[in-house]
Amino acid sequence: MLKSKKVKIIILVFIVSLALIIPPPDGLTKEAWILAGIYLAAIVGLVSKPYPEPVIILSAMALSCFTVGRFADSPVKSTDVLSGYASGTTWLVFSAFTLSAAFVTTGLGKRLAYWFILKFGGTTLRLGYVTALLDLILSPATPSNTARAGGIVFPIINSIALALGSTPNESPCKAGRFLMVNVYMVTKTTSYMFLTAFAGNALALQLISDIFQIHLSWAGWAIAAVPLGLLMLAIIPWVAYKIARPQLTSIDNVQIATAGLNALGPISGKEKGLIVVFISALLGWIFCRYLGLHESSVAVIAMAGALIFSIICWNDVLQNKGGWNTLIWYGGIIGLSATLSKEGFFKWLAAFMSERLDFLGAGNSTIVIIVFISIIVRYMFASGGAYVAAMVPVFATVGLVTGTAPVLLALAILFSNSYGGCITHYGGAAGPIIFAAGYNDIKSWWIIGTITALLTFILHMLIGIPWWNFLINNKLI
C-alpha cells in the first residue's frame, strides 16, 4: 500500500515537473502552462487518491498561489485561487449537505420510508417503486448519494430483506438482490433530477457556466430533468425486477412498517420543523428569482433556520464530514478552474481542439457523440466528483469549438454525469456500500446498470433534446 502511495505521489510530481520543464505551446503563457499542469495533477490525484480529496486540492491551491506570485505581469492574483470559497455553488452544496444530515439525525427519513412501505409496499415489485418514491422525495435536499441511498434508504431496505428471510449467503435471490440493486439504480436517476440532488451537479454547472457563459436556475434544471427522470423511475424497478427476479413476490408490508414506525415513536417536533424547512427550501429554490434571492442564499437561509430552531445542532454540522470535505475540495477546484479561465487556458484549449475536431458539426449528432463517449469514460471513474472535475470541462470545450447549441449540450452533459455511473458497482459512493451487503453479483449488477444507462441515454437523446429545445425556445429555462 505504501509503495502504491509513493508511486501515485511520484506521478503527480512528474506531471507538475513536466509543466515546469517543457516550454508552453504557442498562445499560452508560461504561468498558464504551469497552472494547467498543477490542475491536471490535481485531477489525477482525485482519481488515484494518494491523499484525501481536500489534501490534494489544498496542495494544488498552495502551488498555484506560489506560481501566480512568481510572475509580475500575471492577469490573476493569488486571491483568485481562493475565489471558489466565495462561490455560491460551494455554499449551496454545503448547506444542502447539512439539510441531508438532518433527515438522518431526526429520523424523518426512516419515518417516510416506513410510511410509504405501509401504504404501497404490498409486493416486492411495489417495494421497488416505494424505494424510488422515497429517494425522489429526499433528493432535492440530499446532495450526497451516500447519505441518501447509503445512509437512509439502504439500511431500511436491507433490514426488510432480512425480515423477509433473504440473506446474502443463503438466499440472496429471494428478495435482497433485486431490492439492493434497485436502490442504487434509482439514486443514480434521482441524482440528475435536481441541482441539489448530487454534489457534482453544482460543480459541473459552475464549470460549464465558466466555459459557455450560461446560467441555469434550480427551477430551470428541475423543469428540464424531472419529466425524464420520472419516466426512468417508472421503468427502472421493472427492469431490475425482470433481470434480478426475486423468488418472493408478496410481503407483509403492514407488519414490517408498523414495527418500524412503532420503534420510531410519535413524530417529534424536530421532524415537524424539518418538514417546514424542507418545503420552504423547495419553494425558495423554485421561486428564488421572484424573491430576489440566489439558490445558494436559499440554502444558507434553510441551514440557518434548521440551526436556529434546533432541528439540528452545530455538533451535527461539525460531524458531517462529507459536507466539510465537499466544502474544501469543491471550493478549491472551482477556484483553480476560475484561475485557469482568467489565464485564458480554456480559450487556448478551445482553439487547439477546433483545429483537430473540424470533422464534428454543430448539430445534435455531436451532442449524441459527446454524451455517449462521456458514458463510456465514466466507466473508468470511481468518484462522481472526480469525473466531473476531470471530464466536464473537456466535453464542454469540445462542444464549444464545434458550435453546438450550448444550453442543449450543457443539459445533456450535466444529466449524464449521474446516470453514466449506473453501469458499475463503483460508479458512485453509495455503490460499494450497497454491493458490500453481499446480495449482488457483478454480472447481474452490470447488466442492469448497462441497460439503465443506455435506456436513459436513448430517452434523453430522443425525447430530452426536443423537450429542452421547447423549453429554450419558449424561454422557460
Side-chain angles (χ1 to χ4, degrees):
M1 182 61 120
L2 184 60
K3 181 179 179 181
S4 175
K5 181 177 179 179
K6 286 183 177 179
V7 170
K8 294 174 182 177
I9 295 173
I10 290 172
I11 291 174
L12 302 186
V13 173
F14 179 72
I15 293 173
V16 176
S17 299
L18 285 179
L20 292 170
I21 297 171
I22 299 176
D26 294 337
L28 206 61
T29 65
K30 182 64 176 178
E31 181 181 56
W33 184 241
I34 295 173
L35 290 173
I38 295 172
Y39 186 85
L40 177 60
I43 298 303
V44 174
L46 291 177
V47 176
S48 61
K49 296 183 180 179
Y51 298 103
E53 289 96 337
V55 177
I56 294 291
I57 295 302
L58 287 174
S59 300
M61 292 172 64
L63 286 174
S64 297
C65 288
F66 181 81
T67 300
V68 169
R70 299 307 94 197
F71 295 84
D73 58 345
S74 171
V76 298
K77 301 177 181 179
S78 59
T79 51
D80 290 323
V81 180
L82 306 174
S83 63
Y85 296 111
S87 169
T89 298
T90 304
W91 289 99
L92 171 66
V93 175
F94 178 73
S95 301
F97 259 99
T98 301
L99 287 180
S100 72
F103 276 95
V104 178
T105 57
T106 63
L108 181 59
K110 286 185 177 180
R111 188 176 301 279
L112 287 171
Y114 284 124
W115 188 85
F116 286 133
I117 291 168
L118 176 65
K119 298 297 181 180
F120 309 111
T123 67
T124 312
L125 179 58
R126 283 187 182 180
L127 194 56
Y129 283 102
V130 165
T131 301
L133 182 58
L134 174 63
D135 202 293
L136 174 63
I137 290 176
L138 295 175
S139 59
T142 318
S144 169
N145 294 164
T146 309
R148 185 166 72 249
I152 298 176
V153 181
F154 164 72
I156 295 171
I157 299 301
N158 187 45
S159 64
I160 289 175
L162 293 173
L164 295 175
S166 182
T167 59
N169 297 325
E170 297 175 357
S171 53
C173 295
K174 189 172 183 179
R177 179 163 294 177
F178 157 68
L179 294 174
M180 293 301 141
V181 73
N182 183 67
V183 170
Y184 183 72
M185 299 305 158
V186 161
T187 204
K188 298 307 288 183
T189 299
T190 57
S191 291
Y192 69 76
M193 294 176 68
F194 303 98
L195 174 60
T196 45
F198 166 47
N201 289 345
L203 175 60
L205 179 58
Q206 181 68 52
L207 296 175
I208 283 182
S209 297
D210 289 341
I211 296 172
F212 284 151
Q213 301 301 311
I214 62 173
H215 173 72
L216 183 64
S217 67
W218 191 95
W221 181 302
I223 292 172
V226 167
L228 304 174
L230 290 176
L231 286 174
M232 285 309 304
L233 289 181
I235 296 171
I236 288 172
W238 182 83
V239 171
Y241 187 86
K242 289 297 181 180
I243 297 175
R245 185 179 292 274
Q247 297 168 347
L248 186 66
T249 57
S250 60
I251 64 175
D252 188 351
N253 60 308
V254 175
Q255 180 181 352
I256 292 173
T258 302
L261 290 171
N262 288 339
L264 290 172
I267 186 170
S268 66
K270 289 185 177 182
E271 290 177 82
K272 294 177 181 178
L274 180 56
I275 292 173
V276 173
V277 170
F278 175 54
I279 294 175
S280 299
L282 287 181
L283 293 175
W285 283 324
I286 293 171
F287 299 108
C288 60
R289 69 171 65 182
Y290 304 106
L291 299 172
L293 296 172
H294 189 271
E295 287 89 347
S296 58
S297 303
V298 174
V300 171
I301 292 170
M303 179 177 69
L307 289 167
I308 291 172
F309 293 103
S310 300
I311 297 170
I312 53 174
C313 64
W314 184 245
N315 282 335
D316 294 328
V317 178
L318 292 177
Q319 293 171 12
N320 186 7
K321 295 181 180 179
W324 290 106
N325 282 337
T326 302
L327 174 69
I328 296 299
W329 87 265
Y330 269 44
I333 203 72
I334 289 173
L336 292 174
S337 175
T339 302
L340 280 177
S341 182
K342 284 190 176 183
E343 284 281 3
F345 175 78
F346 290 115
K347 288 184 178 179
W348 171 84
L349 183 62
F352 177 82
M353 286 186 170
S354 64
E355 297 175 359
R356 291 155 179 81
L357 297 173
D358 54 1
F359 60 90
L360 289 176
N364 292 342
S365 59
T366 297
I367 298 178
V368 175
I369 293 171
I370 291 175
V371 174
F372 185 74
I373 293 174
S374 75
I375 295 173
I376 295 175
V377 172
R378 186 70 174 79
Y379 167 84
M380 303 172 62
F381 286 83
S383 167
Y387 166 80
V388 166
M391 301 308 303
V392 165
V394 175
F395 291 130
T397 303
V398 171
L400 179 67
V401 302
T402 60
T404 303
V407 179
L408 280 182
L409 179 60
L411 291 171
I413 293 175
L414 290 169
F415 301 158
S416 69
N417 295 336
S418 294
Y419 72 78
C422 286
I423 298 176
T424 67
H425 58 293
Y426 54 79
I433 296 174
I434 299 169
F435 192 81
Y439 285 97
N440 297 99
D441 61 298
I442 293 178
K443 181 180 178 181
S444 64
W445 184 296
W446 283 33
I447 290 174
I448 294 171
T450 300
I451 292 174
T452 300
L454 289 178
L455 284 176
T456 308
F457 168 72
I458 294 170
L459 177 69
H460 282 218
M461 296 303 101
L462 295 182
I463 299 178
I465 291 178
W467 170 240
W468 303 330
N469 255 323
F470 170 79
L471 296 176
I472 294 168
N473 293 335
N474 289 274
K475 297 181 180 180
L476 296 175
I477 58 174

